[in-house]
Amino acid sequence: MNQTTFKPLVHGIFDPATWTVTYVVYEKPGGACAIIDSVLDFDTKSGRTSHASADKVVHYVHEHNLRVKWILETHAHADHLTAAPYLKEKLGGQIGIGAHIAQVQQVFKQVFNLEDEFKTDGSQFDVLLSANQSIALDEGVGHIMDVPGHTPACVAYQFGDAVFVGDTLFMPDVGTARCDFPGGNAQSLYASVQKLLSLPDDTRLFMCHDYPPTDRAVAFVSTVAEQRTKNIHVHHGVSESDFVRMRKQRDATLEMPALILPSVQINIRAGNLPPAEANGTHYLKIPLNSL
Ligand SMILES: [Fe+2]
């Protein structure tokens, strides 16, 4: 297969509760697929997790007779919990994330004062993926791109002409991801965005989220050409210093995401719950006056 003309099929499932898009990427019905950035539903009032969103993915995979090879994360999300272990149990596949996740685990092990046994080497995940490493579907091969900035461990996944950009670019009228979480860096995000914008004009860029203005419907795919001309934060001509100034000013006005505390504690464990306490119940922590 000619990897430059490889055009995978992409199905996006939008979760209105967290504004997240989960993708199923594949070459043909009946073949192998990757699932990118799944969502585990979480009710903050009761502390209950549930699987309605993940079951949409399960349904789609069954309906198209796909074989799950990869369950991928673009980063340790701060706004939704991952359903990766649930999907692995239902569908198989290997859970992968960018190799720099270890840095994120180190930061949050401190923030949450996690148990001594919590490893900060990424070993909770099945595979740690490094830049330029390739991952195969059937004949088509995907590549990993390091795109740090929103977190130090963010990666994008490129399968042929489709790139799953994680929290870097958003739709052109929304802009870019925030850089103010622990380990975030606006200069790095600018460099990562330039890397994405240097891809061919017609490359399809799939967003991790959409926060649509009131006058348009949810959308989650654009092209490099559209982003270069229209992205409100990083269109052609915006310098690194302009971007960093804008990003810092804007980040200073943003509240923490509603699910940051549960999300991070679950997601740095590859989606697993913290160890149960002596009574058999799993607990999450709330660090006071810390974030
Ligand atoms: Fe994120």
Side-chain angles (χ1 to χ4, degrees), residues 74-250:
T74 55
H75 60 293
H77 306 277
D79 49 21
H80 69 273
L81 285 63
T82 174
Y86 176 78
L87 291 174
K88 182 177 170 174
E89 184 194 310
K90 293 270 173 193
L91 300 169
Q94 289 196 290
I95 301 175
I97 198 164
H100 297 297
I101 187 64
Q103 286 178 40
V104 176
Q105 290 177 320
Q106 280 152 20
V107 169
F108 285 105
K109 182 172 187 176
Q110 304 265 333
V111 170
F112 291 105
N113 193 28
L114 297 179
E115 71 278 7
D116 290 344
E117 295 75 26
F118 177 77
K119 290 212 176 85
T120 56
D121 59 1
S123 56
Q124 299 85 349
F125 297 83
D126 297 322
V127 267
L128 295 179
L129 299 162
S130 302
N132 302 319
Q133 194 171 334
S134 46
I135 50 175
L137 290 177
D138 289 311
E139 293 170 58
V141 175
H143 296 277
I144 317 304
M145 294 171 71
D146 275 342
V147 288
H150 172 68
T151 79
C154 287
V155 293
Y157 296 103
Q158 179 173 23
F159 290 95
D161 77 324
V163 181
F164 300 86
V165 301
D167 281 4
T168 54
L169 293 161
F170 292 139
M171 290 303 282
D173 57 356
V174 181
T176 54
R178 66 194 297 176
C179 296
D180 59 330
F181 298 152
N185 183 297
Q187 278 96 348
S188 301
L189 183 64
Y190 184 83
S192 295
V193 163
Q194 299 313 312
K195 203 187 289 183
L196 292 168
L197 296 185
S198 70
L199 294 166
D201 272 0
D202 57 353
T203 306
R204 293 180 291 164
L205 302 177
F206 290 91
M207 310 298 121
C208 185
H209 297 287
D210 189 37
Y211 310 97
T214 48
D215 59 350
R216 75 157 166 82
V218 169
F220 38 76
V221 59
S222 65
T223 63
V224 164
E226 281 165 4
Q227 293 283 4
R228 264 200 226 120
T229 51
K230 295 188 195 145
N231 188 293
I232 57 169
H233 293 167
V234 281
H235 57 80
H236 184 69
V238 175
S239 70
E240 184 196 76
S241 58
D242 289 344
F243 174 77
V244 169
R245 194 174 327 110
M246 176 286 302
R247 193 63 269 169
K248 285 187 173 160
Q249 277 171 6
R250 182 163 162 68

